[in-house]
Amino acid sequence: MLEIRQLGPDDDLEIEVDLGRRAFGPVSEAAAPDWIAEASAAARDGRYFAAFDGPQPAGVAMFQDMRQWWHGRAVPMAGVGGVKVAPEQRGRGTGRALMTEVLRVIAGRGYPLSVLYPATAPLYRSLGWELAGALHRGTIAARSLASLLPPDGPAQPPRDLPRLPGLRGLRRGGPGDADEVIAVLGAVHESARHCGPATYDAATVRRWWLSDENLFCYLAADGFLAYGWHEGHHEMSVRIAVAGSPETTRALWSIVGSHAPMARLIRAVVSPDDPVAWLTREPDLGQENSWQWMLRVVDAPAAIAGRGFPAAASLAVGLELDDAQLPANGGHWTLEVSGGKGALTRSGGPVSPGGPVRLGARGFGALYGGVPMATLRWAGLAAGGDSSADEALDTAFAGKAFLLDSF
């Protein structure tokens, strides 16, 4: 009989590496300690779960404690990763049982949202996750970054946006800078009204970026860069390059471009509208690939109350939500948005003449991520309502959702 339980730091966490090999392929001797360290950190925080068939581990999963930025406001988010099922257990419901328990725990701990990168989508869709955004990897010829276009003139942010201090004190970053890195990234995401990027806790930032001797980290008052060599001496890999002013944007990309005499190609994780595409003399930013991720609204009222909305959006739309896994999200609601904030409250019936817009967990998650209502309708993920409700929802949730890291 299948048993699912939370693992602690005293459990045998070597199962992480064993199941990793069986599920995803070889794990190098050098990488194995990092896998176990990640499992240990999750186990210490109560974020690591395993399914057992008798004494034999049948699968594992963990989640990261994160904050995801939606139109410039941070919402607590559980980033699910490391889901592995033993080959002999596949097709027997092990993955679904494991993820059902993980979702239950995430909901019980009060996370409004959850995100994951799917190795296979049907399982996660059956539990309410749906495609909502992507991680974009681009390529740039190193020589294109060696000499950037000059600016047309001084750039000034709108007066009602947070004013970042600009390029000041650009320096190398180290393990002691984790809290400052988180603060800088959050300030940039807020000022840019970003949708989708996430920030981690200090221990994870320290472990993943600042303590990696193969990553070169630079920190400014309004920017952060982490990059390193990619499989040799002729390519660089930019893990993250985020800046909140034109001066810092140029400074960070110029550091990367300084490697042009040696490196031929830069591989970079970028946002869909990263300014580097407007800094090179030729349109040299090419798309290498996009890795789609899935979003799950875990606590519907908290998810709406926590995120930001466009200041121009003003609406009152009736929603009828259906969520088999988390029934508290189901039923009739009124979504109200004004002044950049939203609220989801219980209602007795439709608000618009066309009746409430009907959405399941998948459709609501995709809408939250900015997927247009027309797309949801054509995919069979939305019904009811009318064209005016669709237009209002599209205006409220508009945005290109992206992440800048995988987990």
Side-chain angles (χ1 to χ4, degrees):
M1 181 178 178
L2 198 66
E3 177 195 6
I4 299 174
R5 59 183 176 89
Q6 179 181 308
L7 297 186
D10 295 332
D11 285 298
D12 180 11
L13 301 182
E14 291 285 343
I15 62 173
E16 174 71 12
V17 176
D18 177 66
L19 286 172
R21 290 193 182 103
R22 296 174 188 272
F24 299 127
V27 178
S28 69
E29 185 177 344
D34 291 337
W35 284 52
I36 295 176
E38 200 60 39
S40 298
R44 286 195 301 271
D45 295 342
R47 300 181 282 103
Y48 192 54
F49 301 84
F52 288 89
D53 186 3
Q56 187 69 40
V60 293
M62 69 178 75
F63 65 87
Q64 302 289 339
D65 177 36
M66 308 173 77
R67 300 294 179 270
Q68 191 174 25
W69 293 81
W70 288 100
H71 205 80
R73 290 183 67 191
V75 183
M77 185 270 282
V80 177
V83 182
K84 311 172 187 69
V85 175
E88 70 275 14
Q89 292 287 339
R90 294 171 185 167
R92 300 176 59 183
T94 301
R96 181 178 175 81
L98 181 60
M99 285 305 302
T100 298
E101 174 63 11
V102 171
L103 177 59
R104 185 192 68 79
V105 172
I106 288 171
R109 296 187 187 179
Y111 287 96
L113 300 174
S114 177
V115 164
L116 55 81
Y117 288 91
T120 177
L123 165 64
Y124 302 116
R125 279 178 160 150
S126 73
L127 295 173
W129 278 269
E130 189 47 84
L131 298 174
L135 180 149
H136 304 280
R137 288 191 174 94
T139 58
I140 315 170
R143 65 177 183 277
S144 296
L145 295 176
S147 177
L148 302 176
L149 282 172
D152 284 349
Q156 291 291 336
R159 293 181 179 178
D160 60 341
L161 285 181
R163 289 182 175 270
L164 302 182
L167 178 62
R168 189 171 67 220
L170 179 64
R171 60 181 177 82
R172 294 182 181 183
D177 294 317
D179 289 329
E180 186 173 350
V181 168
I182 295 169
V184 165
L185 291 176
V188 174
H189 295 326
E190 179 184 1
S191 68
R193 302 184 298 273
H194 281 156
C195 288
T199 49
Y200 301 95
D201 61 276
T204 302
V205 168
R206 192 176 300 113
R207 188 169 64 251
W208 284 10
W209 290 333
L210 299 174
S211 297
D212 187 341
E213 63 182 12
N214 294 314
L215 281 181
F216 312 131
C217 296
Y218 287 85
L219 182 62
D222 69 334
F224 177 67
L225 168 68
Y227 77 105
W229 293 98
H230 179 78
E231 298 179 358
H233 303 281
H234 300 296
E235 295 184 4
M236 308 295 297
S237 176
V238 176
R239 290 273 296 275
I240 185 170
V242 170
S245 67
E247 298 83 6
T248 303
T249 300
R250 290 173 179 278
L252 297 185
W253 283 110
S254 293
I255 289 173
V256 179
S258 71
H259 294 275
M262 175 68 74
R264 293 192 296 264
L265 188 69
I266 309 298
R267 301 180 184 273
V269 176
V270 292
S271 70
D273 298 316
D274 195 284
V276 70
W278 284 265
L279 291 178
T280 57
R281 296 178 183 275
E282 297 292 339
D284 282 347
L285 176 61
Q287 181 171 301
E288 183 176 28
N289 58 56
S290 293
W291 188 8
Q292 290 185 296
W293 44 267
M294 306 179 87
L295 175 68
R296 210 316 178 172
V297 175
V298 181
D299 183 330
I304 294 297
R307 68 167 288 158
F309 291 91
S314 180
L315 62 92
V317 173
L319 300 180
E320 183 181 340
L321 303 182
D322 180 25
D323 193 332
Q325 284 72 39
L326 300 173
N329 289 332
H332 288 275
W333 300 89
T334 298
L335 170 65
E336 295 179 281
V337 173
S338 64
K341 297 181 180 180
L344 195 66
T345 56
R346 289 288 181 186
S347 67
V351 173
S352 60
V357 176
R358 299 194 300 275
L359 300 161
R362 292 169 54 209
F364 190 49
L367 174 65
Y368 192 97
V371 178
M373 282 296 296
T375 301
L376 299 181
R377 290 189 184 277
W378 294 334
L381 296 177
D386 54 26
S387 59
S388 63
D390 284 9
E391 186 172 3
L393 291 171
D394 284 343
T395 300
F397 290 98
K400 296 180 179 179
F402 66 93
L403 278 165
L404 294 173
D405 205 356
S406 57
F407 41 84

